[in-house]
Amino acid sequence: MPTPDIIYRLVNQFKINRDTYCSEAYNEAQLRQEFLNPFFEALGWDVANKKGFAIQYREVVHEDRIDIEGSKKAPDYAFRIGGVRKFFVEAKKPAENIETDASLAYQLRRYAWNAHLPLSILTDFEEFAVYDCRDRPHPEDSPATSRIMLLRFEDYIEKWDEIAAIFSPDAILKGAFDRYAEDNTGKRGTIQVDDAFLADIEEWRTLLARNIALRNPQVEDERQLNFAVQMTIDRIIFLRICEDREIEAENQLLEISQQPNIYDNLIDLFYRADLRYNSGLFHFKTDKRQNSENDSLTPTLVIDDKVLKEIIKDLYYPSPYIFKEIPVEILGQVYEQFLGKVIRLTAGHRAKVEEKPEVRKAGGVYYTPKYIVDYIVENTVGELVKGKTPKDAAELKIVDPACGSGSFLLGAFQYLLNWHEKWYLEHSPEEWAQGDGSPLAPTVDGSWRLSTDEKKRILLNNIYGVDIDPQAVEVTKLSLLLKVLEGETGQMSLGFERVLPDLGENIQCGNSLISNEFYLGRQLTLFDEDERYRINAFDWINAFPEVFNREGFDAVIGNPPYIRIQAMKEWAPTESEYYKEKYVSASKGNFDIYVVFIEKGLNILNSNGLMGFILPNKFFNSQYGEKIRNLISGENFLSRIVDFTDQQVFDNATTYTCLLFLDKRGRNEFNYSRVYDIENWKVTKSSLSGKLKSIDAKRNAWNFFVGEESKVLGKLENFPIRLSEITDNISQGIRTSANKIYVVLAEREISENVVLTFSKELQSEVTLEKELLHQFLKGQEIRRYNITYSNSLVIIPYSESNGNFQLISESELESNYPLTYNYLLENKRLLENREHGRMRGEDWYGYVYPKNFELMSKKKILTPDIADRCNFAYDETGDFSFTSGYCITLKSDKESDYFYILGILNSKLIDFFFKRISTPLQNGYFRFFSQYLNKIPVCLIDFSNENQSNTYNRIVELVKNLRYLNREIRKILSPNETDRLKRQIDATDAEIDRLVYELYGLTDEEIRIVEESVP
């Protein structure tokens, strides 16, 4: 962006009259009007709202003042895109020194930190300071802390392009602002508001849990304790937020904490809140108008003043929190992490906090990013409200069947609030602001906003959720209630009637996947109390009769749990068996529970309903996904897929995900998008995509081809012969289940029958009988045309008879192989305890999964199970036992056929094909599993055709050359000799690629597509 004339004028004007502008008489209002407003208008912002937008959609909001530490302070500008804040600007008069005054920086950073904004600006026009506001601010911080840019007014002309490239509306829309923010992140120790608040409430939970357990022997079980702690924290946070919004009296919690008998006084406050808010959050007396069960437990508790004083102290200055400004979505994100742990009671009635078993198995809790929530909501709820009126929209029923802390329900609720407000504003808003209970209410600037009554109606009419965790249910309710109050300020704006809805019928606790029929034929006395509580059968029809009287939900949205059945069997064996009996998607072998949620989601949708989930993309090709794929494709439910391939959606977790959209009406075609740059997708939502008419169910997997590549991939897909049809076997290598014991390092032969080895487990040398030792390869030692020999040996305590392998009996092992037996005996405890003690017994020294021994001695093509490209090698003598890989044995025993297939498999064409049907991993790696290897198209040779026969012979010859060259290059050579061999290898590879293109009938255009796609 060229520097506008106005910037030249402003800089010169300030330079000439600098003494005047830097005097105490010159105030902030004058500065904004004369300098800052035109400065940001030059960047492209509609500072004066010349477009006439309602306040909800204005690009620049001149912030209302709020109370911070007793004085009215707030950033002077909030700059927004689509109604969403992107950064603040705090204006100071030039008489103040921005570069050296720490209090000015702290004020800005504190406000932006709470609002979860990455960057904000402090300026008096004379200076322009940009701060990274993601780090927790402290009053004692220096003014340079987290400052990432400092310009003087003389720099504006030269640096205008740089400023505009970050802070103009166009730069933000194109993602430059977000990229700049990310590029300036990475400071060690950065604590964002969600991280800080999570640490605080986890500390409060521990303090409360220990104190309640100590002082309240009547709290007999863990569920009561978790409830008491959760509700106490939720109530305090809720009332503190209401204080910040001036709905509750200022500093009331702080004043209570400074008096004796704090908890008794808090209970009195909670009772008053019960009368005021009509919410299950405060519900102590039986009331037939309310749906929630009343709380008779927490009023009876004893909690020490010291504990409550410490908690409440953390909520007031010098605490950095400004509760009015922390977005409800951020509180939800905090609570999602918070809910990953649970309070346990020890035998001595002491409380301890630990991770839930399902969270521990999953490696943590992963909160769905807001941009994902928004996209799913827009493509489900957004589709449903098109062309409707608010009266029509009131009939829509939206549910998250595993709602967690409520992020998707918050997203849907916010979308509906925005949609209703926009609709009313476009349809004579004055008419919708008449009388009590009207949907619109006036704002102080003469615009309109949704009334609290309308927000309550939308929430109760449209939003539903279920979760198996009662704490999650309470958090979801809290988040939704806070969303109702968002934007409300002042006690009179709410009146003195009960202002909040009771969500007991909308948000319910139960196991979405288990109905009451679970108990039929099962003896309840066989289940202990914990198991009955965990099963928590849920009857959807009885729970939501008004929904199922009209057939079901209009939208099912969410992020269902990802739990493999193998893990679930450890803590919920009965439920896992029930799923296999009840659900088609779980009826075949092992499965992941998210496929069951897809099936349940379809079951509770009405015939016109839409589903939007984020979940792993593994079910596209996995065996356990076959049933759910057939269910979806058989009814043409598939509407849209956004495949993130190896792009990572969740922070601190490696998951390979997609967005799955289903349409219960059935569709003739669907849209598939592949995301290669998630940072760009967040901003533009653009990706490689195409409309596809159907899925080929015959291939028993979902492979999606879009763009130019579909020309080549379609041709390869139509090849009649697959690798699986010319092979005897495509199988995994052996799995010792204890490599650290069974795999040893060869040092030297002591005699004809005995080898000196080194045991990593024992960290010592051991002598073992040679007969039970076999050369051992890991996947990483298998390369293109080349096996990297190592000195690893593997103990295989099995013997072969007529092609069958049996574990050598312990007596025979001790008698015939005493050295190996004694070594295994030294490791007996570890071997017995494999897989939670599964190997305790007479077979303690055997493999947990003994299989595929017969393949080890055969000639075979090998591949690692994970690689960044096709890496196939040939073991012609059957020397190698291997793990973390697959072997391919052909029906033909001819070595030339092995060489021909080896050349095909290592070609660029097959590499291109494989990477589009396999599961991508991070950093450009792919899974080379049998289900993908089976699908590789193979061009069989017609030996009566002279051209094909000659091509076959030429490929065989070239493969032999490559195997020789790859062996030679491993030797110690001069740099010149190494370069010469590399050039020969590259030339030979290129010749094989040319011949393969010719065999598969590729055109010049198709060859170009492959060559440009494969490095």
Side-chain angles (χ1 to χ4, degrees):
M1 177 186 291
T3 307
D5 291 342
I6 184 65
I7 298 301
Y8 286 97
R9 184 179 65 77
L10 291 173
V11 169
N12 289 328
Q13 179 181 332
F14 194 92
K15 186 182 298 184
I16 294 169
N17 300 293
R18 187 174 180 277
D19 290 344
T20 300
Y21 298 135
C22 291
S23 69
E24 287 294 333
Y26 191 76
N27 61 42
E28 291 172 15
Q30 291 172 295
L31 174 78
R32 292 196 300 272
Q33 187 66 35
E34 291 186 49
F35 287 96
L36 297 186
N37 287 359
F39 180 92
F40 286 103
E41 285 171 352
L43 283 171
W45 293 99
D46 185 10
V47 176
N49 192 33
K50 294 176 182 177
K51 297 174 183 175
F53 289 162
I55 191 169
Q56 296 86 344
Y57 306 106
R58 289 177 188 170
E59 291 182 6
V60 182
V61 175
H62 303 264
E63 292 290 299
D64 294 331
R65 297 295 182 168
I66 70 162
D67 189 68
I68 301 178
E69 300 94 62
S71 59
K72 298 294 182 181
K73 297 177 182 177
D76 297 278
Y77 303 89
F79 289 81
R80 312 191 303 180
I81 296 290
V84 178
R85 283 171 172 166
K86 299 302 292 186
F87 62 92
F88 287 138
V89 171
E90 172 71 0
K92 295 298 174 186
K93 58 184 182 180
E96 303 201 56
N97 194 321
I98 282 175
E99 184 175 2
T100 60
D101 191 330
S103 65
L104 304 182
Y106 176 68
Q107 177 184 329
L108 172 76
R109 289 174 56 216
R110 183 172 180 236
Y111 208 91
W113 183 72
N114 278 271
H116 214 250
L117 300 181
L119 305 176
S120 281
I121 297 168
L122 180 64
T123 184
D124 58 0
F125 190 78
E126 184 180 25
E127 294 167 313
F128 182 95
V130 179
Y131 282 90
D132 183 337
C133 300
R134 285 165 289 200
D135 199 8
R136 181 175 184 160
H138 299 278
E140 63 274 16
D141 287 343
S142 83
T145 301
S146 296
R147 189 166 63 202
I148 57 178
M149 180 188 291
L150 180 63
L151 302 176
R152 288 191 53 80
F153 73 96
E154 298 99 328
D155 302 324
Y156 296 157
I157 294 172
E158 181 183 346
K159 297 284 188 178
W160 186 254
D161 279 351
E162 183 179 340
I163 297 169
I166 303 166
F167 294 103
S168 70
D170 188 55
I172 291 174
L173 287 169
K174 291 179 178 178
F177 176 88
D178 292 330
R179 285 191 292 272
Y180 178 80
E182 286 304 310
D183 289 345
N184 284 279
T185 307
K187 304 185 301 296
R188 292 188 181 275
T190 296
I191 303 177
Q192 298 188 45
V193 64
D194 45 352
D195 299 322
F197 195 61
L198 174 62
D200 283 341
I201 66 171
E202 285 188 330
E203 182 180 350
W204 303 341
R205 171 171 56 191
T206 300
L207 290 171
L208 283 170
R210 290 173 177 169
N211 192 249
I212 292 172
L214 177 66
R215 300 296 187 198
N216 299 272
Q218 78 274 20
V219 177
E220 297 177 347
D221 63 33
E222 294 167 352
R223 289 183 291 280
Q224 289 180 323
L225 180 58
N226 278 279
F227 173 80
V229 171
Q230 179 85 53
M231 293 306 289
T232 303
I233 292 173
D234 288 355
R235 289 163 180 164
I236 290 173
I237 290 173
F238 177 86
L239 291 173
R240 180 66 184 90
I241 291 172
C242 288
E243 280 187 29
D244 250 16
R245 293 176 179 171
E246 301 178 18
I247 297 168
E248 287 287 324
E250 182 179 16
N251 292 332
Q252 62 179 348
L253 291 170
L254 183 62
E255 291 170 4
I256 286 174
S257 73
Q258 294 168 347
Q259 303 167 10
N261 304 315
I262 295 174
Y263 191 65
D264 290 342
N265 291 326
L266 279 178
I267 288 295
D268 290 341
L269 181 61
F270 296 163
Y271 270 98
R272 293 197 298 273
D274 185 12
L275 295 173
R276 180 170 174 74
Y277 294 107
N278 187 37
S279 161
L281 184 61
F282 306 98
H283 183 23
F284 303 102
K285 297 179 181 178
T286 302
D287 186 340
K288 64 181 180 180
R289 295 172 298 174
Q290 289 193 293
N291 305 310
S292 305
E293 292 294 324
N294 62 299
D295 170 17
S296 59
L297 172 65
T298 61
T300 69
L301 297 177
V302 175
I303 303 178
D304 289 341
D305 284 359
K306 180 181 178 182
V307 171
L308 292 169
K309 187 185 292 286
E310 185 170 343
I311 291 171
I312 293 172
K313 172 180 66 69
D314 289 342
L315 301 175
Y316 290 88
Y317 188 82
S319 159
Y321 301 119
I322 305 171
F323 286 96
K324 176 185 176 181
E325 290 305 320
I326 300 177
V328 175
E329 290 79 7
I330 297 303
L331 290 176
Q333 183 171 337
V334 169
Y335 267 113
E336 190 86 9
Q337 298 291 326
F338 183 78
L339 294 173
K341 295 179 180 177
V342 67
I343 304 165
R344 302 290 187 201
L345 276 173
T346 67
H349 208 262
R350 293 179 180 273
K352 64 176 183 177
V353 180
E354 61 184 39
E355 272 193 328
K356 295 175 180 176
E358 61 271 29
V359 172
R360 188 168 57 253
K361 283 288 182 183
V365 176
Y366 309 119
Y367 188 82
T368 310
K370 187 176 183 299
Y371 69 90
I372 295 292
V373 173
D374 291 345
Y375 188 87
I376 289 176
V377 167
E378 184 177 348
N379 284 277
T380 50
V381 180
E383 292 296 315
L384 291 169
V385 296
K386 282 182 178 177
K388 287 184 168 55
T389 66
K391 183 178 180 181
D392 300 327
E395 300 298 316
L396 297 175
K397 308 298 179 184
I398 300 153
V399 69
D400 183 343
C403 63
S405 66
S407 58
F408 278 88
L409 297 182
L410 274 173
F413 185 33
Q414 183 65 64
Y415 189 95
L416 289 171
L417 294 178
N418 295 342
W419 180 86
H420 278 83
E421 189 170 71
K422 186 172 185 290
W423 193 94
Y424 289 126
L425 291 174
E426 292 174 350
H427 294 81
S428 305
E430 297 83 0
E431 296 180 12
W432 299 102
Q434 304 297 319
D436 293 338
S438 59
L440 287 184
T443 64
V444 292
D445 71 339
S447 186
W448 309 96
R449 62 169 177 83
L450 285 183
S451 67
T452 304
D453 284 335
E454 182 69 0
K455 293 178 186 178
K456 288 157 56 178
R457 278 194 292 268
I458 294 167
L459 179 56
L460 290 174
N461 284 338
N462 299 127
I463 303 298
Y464 297 81
V466 179
D467 200 277
I468 195 170
D469 184 350
Q471 290 179 282
V473 169
E474 295 307 320
V475 168
T476 296
K477 291 178 183 177
L478 173 65
S479 298
L480 291 168
L481 294 176
L482 289 172
K483 179 61 71 173
V484 171
L485 293 180
E486 199 168 61
E488 300 287 354
T489 58
Q491 296 182 53
M492 296 307 295
S493 70
L494 293 176
F496 293 98
E497 78 285 359
R498 285 178 157 187
V499 296
L500 291 177
D502 180 4
L503 297 177
E505 286 190 357
N506 287 60
I507 314 298
Q508 300 195 36
C509 184
N511 188 326
S512 293
L513 302 179
I514 296 181
S515 66
N516 287 337
E517 70 175 18
F518 174 87
Y519 299 112
L520 297 177
R522 288 182 168 90
Q523 191 172 341
L524 290 184
T525 55
L526 296 178
F527 299 107
D528 61 29
E529 184 179 355
D530 286 339
E531 194 165 13
R532 286 197 297 272
Y533 181 80
R534 188 179 63 245
I535 290 167
N536 199 6
F538 186 75
D539 189 325
W540 282 86
I541 294 175
N542 288 333
F544 304 117
E546 76 286 359
V547 174
F548 288 95
N549 284 341
R550 45 187 300 281
E551 194 186 354
F553 288 95
D554 297 280
V556 176
I557 57 178
N559 178 11
Y562 315 157
I563 306 174
R564 288 304 302 271
I565 191 63
Q566 298 96 315
M568 192 176 180
K569 285 177 180 176
E570 293 182 22
W571 74 85
T574 310
E575 294 99 301
S576 61
E577 287 304 313
Y578 171 82
Y579 299 143
K580 294 177 77 70
E581 297 168 8
K582 175 69 176 175
Y583 291 95
V584 171
S585 57
S587 62
K588 185 173 181 178
N590 293 324
F591 61 92
D592 196 304
I593 201 168
Y594 71 81
V595 300
V596 184
F597 269 95
I598 298 173
E599 185 175 345
K600 171 56 76 174
L602 286 168
N603 291 342
I604 60 177
L605 276 176
N606 62 42
S607 58
N608 294 306
L610 304 178
M611 179 193 294
F613 277 167
I614 178 171
L615 35 71
N617 57 23
K618 190 175 180 181
F619 82 97
F620 292 173
N621 292 292
S622 66
Q623 291 180 342
Y624 72 69
E626 178 183 350
K627 295 293 185 179
I628 197 65
R629 292 196 301 268
N630 291 344
L631 180 62
I632 294 170
S633 58
E635 300 293 335
N636 293 323
F637 290 146
L638 191 57
S639 169
R640 176 188 296 265
I641 286 175
V642 178
D643 186 357
F644 291 107
T645 58
D646 64 337
Q647 300 291 295
Q648 296 303 303
V649 169
F650 299 104
D651 292 336
N652 304 317
T654 302
T655 52
Y656 302 96
T657 53
C658 70
L659 307 184
L660 176 71
F661 296 94
L662 304 180
D663 187 337
K664 197 72 176 287
R665 294 167 298 186
R667 300 173 69 93
N668 293 325
E669 61 182 22
F670 59 92
N671 182 279
Y672 171 82
S673 301
R674 187 180 298 140
V675 178
Y676 290 115
D677 180 357
I678 198 167
E679 294 303 321
N680 181 61
W681 188 86
K682 288 179 188 179
V683 178
T684 65
K685 300 300 182 290
S686 64
S687 52
L688 184 60
S689 65
K691 287 191 176 295
L692 308 174
K693 291 189 177 296
S694 64
I695 298 172
D696 186 357
K698 292 182 295 185
R699 296 293 186 200
N700 194 25
W702 287 0
N703 298 314
F704 305 102
F705 307 138
V706 295
E708 274 192 328
E709 296 176 356
S710 61
K711 300 174 185 177
V712 182
L713 294 167
K715 178 176 284 189
L716 296 176
E717 274 285 292
N718 289 327
F719 259 72
I721 304 298
R722 304 277 144 175
L723 187 61
S724 60
E725 298 172 64
I726 67 165
T727 57
D728 266 339
N729 217 311
I730 300 179
S731 298
Q732 275 186 302
I734 60 173
R735 297 170 64 187
T736 73
S737 65
N739 274 7
K740 61 184 180 180
I741 294 170
Y742 289 107
V743 178
V744 294
L745 300 178
E747 295 199 347
R748 68 180 186 275
E749 289 191 17
I750 293 179
S751 69
E752 185 179 349
N753 297 319
V754 178
V755 179
L756 179 67
T757 68
F758 180 81
S759 168
K760 291 182 180 178
E761 175 62 23
L762 298 181
Q763 284 296 300
S764 65
E765 291 180 336
V766 292
T767 52
L768 303 171
E769 287 85 3
K770 185 176 181 180
E771 188 175 343
L772 297 185
L773 296 173
H774 299 257
Q775 291 190 54
F776 190 63
L777 288 179
K778 294 180 181 178
Q780 65 198 39
E781 295 162 345
I782 303 169
R783 296 286 180 261
R784 293 180 77 246
Y785 299 108
N786 181 35
I787 293 172
T788 305
Y789 292 82
S790 73
N791 65 338
S792 293
L793 301 174
V794 61
I795 301 168
I796 301 182
Y798 291 80
S799 61
E800 185 264 342
S801 176
N802 298 322
N804 295 317
F805 282 78
Q806 298 293 329
L807 183 65
I808 298 170
S809 69
E810 187 169 358
S811 60
E812 184 183 350
L813 190 66
E814 182 179 13
S815 173
N816 296 343
Y817 310 101
L819 297 173
T820 302
Y821 176 73
N822 288 331
Y823 167 69
L824 295 174
L825 200 61
E826 278 191 85
N827 292 287
K828 184 174 181 179
R829 183 180 59 81
L830 290 172
L831 292 172
E832 283 185 322
N833 289 331
R834 285 172 289 167
E835 298 205 0
H836 307 284
R838 176 176 172 177
M839 297 306 291
R840 290 172 192 151
E842 61 182 16
D843 293 343
W844 60 269
Y845 54 94
Y847 293 176
V848 176
Y849 304 102
K851 60 180 183 178
N852 296 336
F853 295 128
E854 73 281 0
L855 298 174
M856 299 300 106
S857 61
K858 293 183 177 181
K859 60 184 176 185
K860 51 193 174 284
I861 293 174
L862 299 175
T863 179
D865 57 5
I866 295 174
D868 59 353
R869 61 166 300 169
C870 287
N871 282 332
F872 292 90
Y874 180 48
D875 173 17
E876 64 264 47
T877 58
D879 284 341
F880 295 102
S881 300
F882 66 98
T883 189
S884 59
Y886 282 80
C887 78
I888 301 165
T889 58
L890 302 180
K891 291 179 179 177
S892 166
D893 198 42
K894 290 169 57 179
E895 187 165 73
S896 59
D897 285 345
Y898 272 94
F899 287 156
Y900 170 72
I901 295 300
L902 187 61
I904 296 291
L905 295 178
N906 279 326
S907 69
K908 275 188 178 178
L909 181 61
I910 296 306
D911 188 66
F912 169 83
F913 175 81
F914 195 90
K915 288 175 177 176
R916 277 128 189 102
I917 66 166
S918 175
T919 302
L921 306 176
Q922 278 188 299
N923 302 317
Y925 283 79
F926 292 83
R927 296 189 186 278
F928 282 74
F929 288 0
S930 57
Q931 63 260 42
Y932 310 128
L933 296 170
N934 282 327
K935 299 171 189 173
I936 293 174
V938 176
C939 182
L940 293 186
I941 296 298
D942 176 5
F943 286 98
S944 66
N945 182 310
E946 185 177 355
N947 286 337
Q948 287 194 20
S949 180
N950 289 338
T951 299
Y952 171 93
N953 291 330
R954 180 60 176 154
I955 289 176
V956 169
E957 180 185 349
L958 292 168
V959 167
K960 289 179 180 177
N961 287 340
L962 277 175
R963 296 183 73 231
Y964 167 77
L965 292 169
N966 276 285
R967 284 195 298 269
E968 287 296 300
I969 205 169
R970 288 166 50 200
K971 298 176 181 178
I972 299 174
L973 302 169
S974 68
N976 287 339
E977 189 66 11
T978 299
D979 288 342
R980 183 184 65 79
L981 289 173
K982 284 182 178 179
R983 289 194 296 273
Q984 284 185 257
I985 289 170
D986 290 344
T988 309
D989 264 331
E991 177 65 6
I992 291 176
D993 289 333
R994 186 189 66 78
L995 293 170
V996 171
Y997 292 144
E998 185 179 297
L999 276 175
Y1000 283 77
L1002 265 64
T1003 65
D1004 290 343
E1005 173 66 10
E1006 290 164 346
I1007 292 170
R1008 179 193 63 78
I1009 293 168
V1010 175
E1011 291 284 334
E1012 290 180 357
S1013 300
V1014 178

